[in-house]
Amino acid sequence: MRGVFSLLRLALRRDRVIMPLWVLGFGLLPYLYLSAFDSLFTTVQERVDYARISSANSGFIALYGPLRGSSLGELVVWRAGFVPVMIGLAALLTVIRHTRADDEAGRTELIRATVVGRYAQLAAALILTGGASLLTGVIVAVTMPLPGSIALGVVFTLSGWMFAGIGAVAAQVSGSARSARSLAVVALAVSYVLRLGGDVSASFLAWLSPIGWVHRVFPYGETDRRPVTLALLFVVLSVSLSAYLLARRDVGAGLIASRLGPASAAASLSTPPALAWRLHRGLLLGWTAGFAALGLLFGGVGSSVVQLAADSRGVDEMFSRIGGGGAVTDAYFATTAAICGLVAACYAVQAALRMRDEEQTGHAEAVLTTSVGRLGWALSHLLFALLGPAVALLAEGLLAGLVHGDVGPVLGASLAQLPAVWVLAGMTMLLIGAAPRFAPAAWAVLAACLLVLLVGPLLNVSQWVLDLSPFTHVPHLPGGTFTSLPLAVLLGVAVLLGTIGLSALRRRDITA
């Protein structure tokens, strides 16, 4: 363990921008939900009706988890039901970044050459992530009203701790950072699906899932301590397992060795787009499958929204504020389209940043020593950052429309998000080309857009703040008035950002 505090300071310095964003964002989100709900329901009966209908709707249960009461605190906990998943994702990615990714980049070998213990790097990553998760929980406990705020803070903290442990185990098992991330994200997805299955049908499935455990604590209600005990045991076991596995693998290698590729590449990989397809196809298939599942879910919930709005004026107003005027189903699908647009922007940023990963691992340098030019190499990756979200949104809009019974308007609303998504892709390209060290800041831009979408209209934030997000300028479809000018302007901004980024990339050094 020698050197763990020095490595912890190094990790804090490397995460000084990204970590405060997700800690503050997730920590303050319940308070923002509380303010929004407080202003929406003018009478207690409206709130009770909303809770009664929401708790009986399988679509809402699948999306947010079970709802056991009608108090303001219980509604906030239920509405923030997806936040533990996001905290888990941030935690596992942070641990892998400071363990397996450092192994892959050769930093671990340099660190081990100094006076540093075998477990110091893993311990520093876990302390960093565990501390951030704890701070998130403390912010929740301080900002939310008592009683129940401490239990909600514990829920958020345990979510980060459990998936930090899963990330630590995945980092020891996998031979590369990419496969470690995939393994840990699959574990998170399986946990979410088990929770969903348990809440909708067989309840025992939820007790097999870490996400199901934190959903069964029920802060502000009949707080159950049994899931907390299970979660703490899981944290101890996963962290112990990761330390055990760390002692049984070589530096730079995983317990599952990476397969060697063929000695010579196939003819189908001889062009930059073909190589990019080989690198991006798994990501494309995964995101498209996820969006297809969202389409089925949103389409199924759509028919229940009418009943919900009929029984509660607050729900009607909530969807109208976020999704625009018109019929409540139109406002609902405008809201889901905006959410899907932001999620698609996550895919666009991730696909564009793959270019930077290839550069840092030295793969880009090897490709560029051939007859491939920088522009062709960069465009081959940018192609997937632009068309990949289009395919994903097409799958979501098509399935949501088919399930709801009205394909055209729902599909059009999803595809209308594309220009705003491409602005985020262009912004990422600009950072990669002009300021590669700050390329991960593209996630911060995306997080700001997410906050503006989710809580800006509900809190009546000033219009100039809302206008900073490209998604604010997308027409509110279906139900709203379609105007091509905002979409054309967004397309122009995306092209301008991408062009400046590509131009800067041609003029700077390729750095490993």
Side-chain angles (χ1 to χ4, degrees):
M1 297 290 285
R2 188 169 184 177
V4 63
F5 292 108
S6 299
L7 290 175
L8 182 59
R9 287 199 299 273
L10 175 63
L12 280 169
R13 177 177 171 75
R14 291 172 63 191
D15 279 8
R16 64 187 182 279
V17 175
I18 294 177
M19 184 166 284
L21 289 174
W22 68 260
V23 168
L24 287 173
F26 296 141
L28 293 175
L29 201 55
Y31 177 75
L32 298 176
Y33 280 137
L34 177 70
S35 304
F37 274 128
D38 197 28
S39 63
L40 278 176
F41 301 112
T42 55
T43 65
V44 174
Q45 190 57 47
E46 278 189 4
R47 195 181 70 224
V48 171
D49 290 342
Y50 176 85
R52 175 176 53 78
I53 297 170
S54 297
S55 62
N57 186 290
S58 57
F60 283 135
I61 294 172
L63 193 59
Y64 301 124
L67 175 59
R68 293 289 180 86
S70 60
S71 69
L72 207 53
E74 286 169 307
L75 283 175
V76 170
V77 171
W78 169 75
R79 185 60 181 79
F82 201 71
V83 177
V85 179
M86 301 305 294
I87 293 176
L89 181 64
L92 67 88
L93 291 178
T94 302
V95 170
I96 292 172
R97 165 177 156 82
H98 291 287
T99 52
R100 171 52 62 188
D102 281 354
D103 263 22
E104 193 173 352
R107 298 189 192 100
T108 301
E109 192 173 1
L110 288 173
I111 291 170
R112 291 278 187 91
T114 64
V115 187
V116 170
R118 176 190 290 268
Y119 300 100
Q121 194 175 17
L122 176 62
L126 288 172
I127 292 172
L128 174 76
T129 312
S133 303
L134 179 62
L135 185 57
T136 305
V138 170
I139 293 172
V140 172
V142 170
T143 54
M144 290 290 288
L146 292 170
S149 64
I150 296 176
L152 182 56
V154 168
V155 164
F156 279 24
T157 302
L158 288 176
S159 304
W161 287 2
M162 286 191 289
F163 285 95
I166 289 176
V169 172
Q172 314 312 317
V173 172
S174 305
S176 68
R178 191 181 313 155
S179 57
R181 291 188 194 104
S182 301
L183 186 62
V185 170
V186 167
L188 177 64
V190 169
S191 176
Y192 182 76
V193 170
L194 285 173
R195 193 282 302 164
L196 189 153
D199 289 339
V200 173
S201 57
S203 60
F204 76 93
L205 290 175
W207 287 97
L208 302 177
S209 159
I211 295 296
W213 298 340
V214 295
H215 273 223
R216 270 152 180 73
V217 175
F218 297 119
Y220 296 99
E222 69 281 16
T223 305
D224 192 345
R225 292 182 174 80
R226 291 176 300 166
V228 175
T229 306
L230 278 175
L232 287 173
L233 283 174
F234 184 86
V235 172
V236 172
L237 287 175
S238 59
V239 170
S240 302
L241 179 61
S242 66
Y244 174 81
L245 296 177
L246 173 63
R248 279 154 184 79
R249 70 173 180 87
D250 293 331
V251 175
L255 291 180
I256 300 176
S258 301
R259 290 183 304 170
L260 294 177
S264 57
S268 58
L269 294 176
S270 59
T271 62
L275 178 59
W277 163 251
R278 177 71 175 79
L279 295 172
H280 284 268
R281 64 184 180 184
L283 201 62
L284 175 61
L285 292 175
W287 277 98
T288 303
F291 268 77
L294 279 178
L296 292 173
L297 180 63
F298 289 150
V301 173
S303 57
S304 305
V305 170
V306 177
Q307 181 191 355
L308 199 59
D311 291 358
S312 173
R313 187 187 62 82
V315 177
D316 194 0
E317 184 181 346
M318 180 179 69
F319 282 123
S320 295
R321 280 192 190 182
I322 299 176
V328 67
T329 49
D330 289 344
Y332 165 74
F333 280 111
T335 303
T336 58
I339 292 172
C340 287
L342 266 168
V343 179
C346 294
Y347 175 24
V349 170
Q350 184 185 15
L353 285 177
R354 180 61 189 269
M355 201 183 317
R356 178 62 181 157
D357 288 342
E358 290 292 295
E359 185 180 351
Q360 288 181 306
T361 54
H363 298 161
E365 188 176 6
V367 172
L368 294 174
T369 55
T370 66
S371 58
V372 176
R374 290 190 186 193
L375 195 57
W377 169 76
L379 284 174
S380 67
H381 286 281
L382 199 56
L383 183 69
F384 286 88
L386 299 176
L387 296 186
V391 173
L393 284 171
L394 178 65
E396 183 274 332
L398 187 61
L399 287 174
L402 285 172
V403 172
H404 180 60
D406 193 4
V407 176
V410 178
L411 178 59
S414 296
L415 294 181
Q417 307 296 319
L418 274 175
V421 173
W422 290 340
V423 169
L424 270 296
M427 173 66 71
T428 310
M429 185 66 242
L430 175 66
L431 289 169
I432 292 172
R437 286 185 57 194
F438 299 100
W443 292 113
V445 177
L446 186 59
C449 293
L450 180 64
L451 279 179
V452 167
L453 173 73
L454 291 182
V455 298
L458 295 176
L459 296 179
N460 292 319
V461 174
S462 300
Q463 187 60 42
W464 71 268
V465 177
L466 300 179
D467 288 342
L468 293 177
S469 168
F471 293 92
T472 303
H473 306 283
V474 175
H476 293 294
L477 301 174
T481 303
F482 176 80
T483 50
S484 58
L485 181 60
L487 299 181
V489 172
L490 289 174
L491 277 175
V493 171
V495 170
L496 179 64
L497 293 173
T499 303
I500 295 174
L502 288 170
S503 177
L505 180 68
R506 294 183 65 189
R507 288 168 172 75
R508 70 168 175 83
D509 291 335
I510 297 295
T511 56

